[in-house]
Amino acid sequence: MPRMIQHFAEQGGTTVLVSQPEPGQGVDTADIHGLVCGHKRGSSWFLFGLRVAEHARGKGVARALMAEICRRSREHGEVQAITSATIPQNPAAVRLFQQLGFSHTHTVDVWPSYAALASYEQAVGFVPGASQQPTHNTSLKDHVQGAKELLSQASSSLGVQAEHWVQASSLQQLQQAVRCIRQQQMELAPELRLVPADLPQEWLPWVYEPWPLDSSYVQKRLQEGAVWLLPFPATAVQHSASRSSMYSSCARSVVT
């Protein structure tokens, strides 16, 4: 996360808010209670990096930070929506977004599940946040049941579909693809029809990375020829691996 914050801060269009205790007797003003970041992405204001120190939780720090970073959404220009992303395994964040008026806009499956990852980390002695980690000779695919079979099936499926992929040459092509995917999503999850229609179209090239189609990032990827589309229904890969985890993108409109 520190590297991500530094990366976007160096690009500009980024605000970083930090919560610290007020000066007083016996209070260390260098103590950080929490932080959150906002990054201007085209017509959207993307929130990320919300963190609250364990000793400061339950005191409204997260809500105060989120409310303030939302209020500052126009410091880097006009925006149509405020967006962010989280996972269902973080119910506190989900509740906070709901309380602040955000709508659930997307849900993306992630494999393997968070439970499988946690089990693997425990098995190899990985300690989150530790500067030094133990060396090990096993990989995640050896640890997760069904992983090798799934990867083999996915590789075969990719080979069959390779000739059908086409390189996106224009923003209009990507917009049409996003509209088609959105329609499929709403057929599978009717509750997504309740999402405000005025929210900018988003492309999710990576987890936790929703980008509006009018952003410079998307324009650059198109110019580089780095966006590919599969214009026919992909064949589903059946597997017996553990249930995927998910992360969700959420947004709320900005009232002008």
Side-chain angles (χ1 to χ4, degrees):
M1 183 57 68
R3 288 193 296 269
M4 181 178 179
I5 294 174
Q6 181 178 0
H7 170 73
F8 286 119
E10 290 174 349
Q11 290 184 352
T14 301
T15 296
V16 180
L17 296 181
V18 176
S19 173
Q20 294 177 292
E22 296 181 358
Q25 186 176 5
V27 176
D28 183 2
T29 56
D31 181 27
I32 295 178
H33 283 178
L35 66 84
V36 69
C37 308
H39 179 229
K40 181 70 159 48
R41 298 183 172 185
S43 57
S44 297
W45 180 240
F46 178 66
L47 309 183
F48 68 98
L50 177 63
R51 298 288 189 276
V52 176
E54 187 172 353
H55 67 274
R57 293 174 184 172
K59 301 177 181 179
V61 174
R63 185 180 180 86
L65 283 169
M66 287 290 287
E68 181 62 18
I69 198 71
C70 288
R71 190 186 67 81
R72 298 195 183 196
S73 61
R74 294 198 179 112
E75 287 187 347
H76 301 282
E78 185 176 351
V79 298
Q80 295 180 12
I82 302 172
T83 65
S84 192
T86 189
I87 56 175
Q89 289 83 358
N90 189 351
V94 173
R95 286 194 303 271
L96 181 57
F97 282 126
Q98 293 172 341
Q99 293 168 0
L100 292 174
F102 282 73
S103 297
H104 175 197
T105 60
H106 304 84
T107 296
V108 178
D109 285 331
V110 179
W111 183 91
S113 68
Y114 283 90
L117 287 173
S119 175
Y120 171 71
E121 291 176 350
Q122 183 178 13
V124 299
F126 176 81
V127 180
S131 58
Q132 295 184 343
Q133 302 291 349
T135 57
H136 51 84
N137 299 318
T138 62
S139 68
L140 184 61
K141 68 179 181 180
D142 296 320
H143 184 80
V144 177
Q145 182 180 2
K148 290 183 178 180
E149 293 79 2
L150 173 63
L151 293 175
S152 176
Q153 293 177 44
S155 179
S156 299
S157 177
L158 181 61
V160 172
Q161 298 171 5
E163 63 184 79
H164 298 279
W165 286 89
V166 296
Q167 192 175 47
S169 58
S170 68
L171 178 60
Q172 289 71 29
Q173 276 185 295
L174 184 55
Q175 288 173 330
Q176 178 61 29
V178 170
R179 280 194 292 267
C180 290
I181 293 173
R182 187 62 177 167
Q183 183 61 40
Q184 294 174 359
Q185 289 176 331
M186 288 191 293
E187 291 174 357
L188 294 172
E191 66 272 13
L192 294 181
R193 297 180 185 273
L194 301 176
V195 175
D198 59 347
L199 293 177
Q201 280 187 302
E202 285 188 331
W203 176 40
L204 287 80
W206 194 244
V207 294
Y208 287 110
E209 283 294 301
W211 288 87
L213 298 190
D214 60 4
S215 65
S216 59
Y217 173 87
V218 173
Q219 296 287 352
K220 182 179 180 181
R221 297 287 85 79
L222 285 168
Q223 292 171 3
E224 294 173 343
V227 182
W228 292 76
L229 306 174
L230 185 61
F232 85 113
T235 302
V237 177
Q238 302 296 326
H239 62 85
S240 58
S242 58
R243 176 70 173 88
S244 298
S245 294
M246 298 177 291
Y247 88 98
S248 301
S249 175
C250 54
R252 80 177 195 188
S253 300
V254 174
V255 179
T256 58

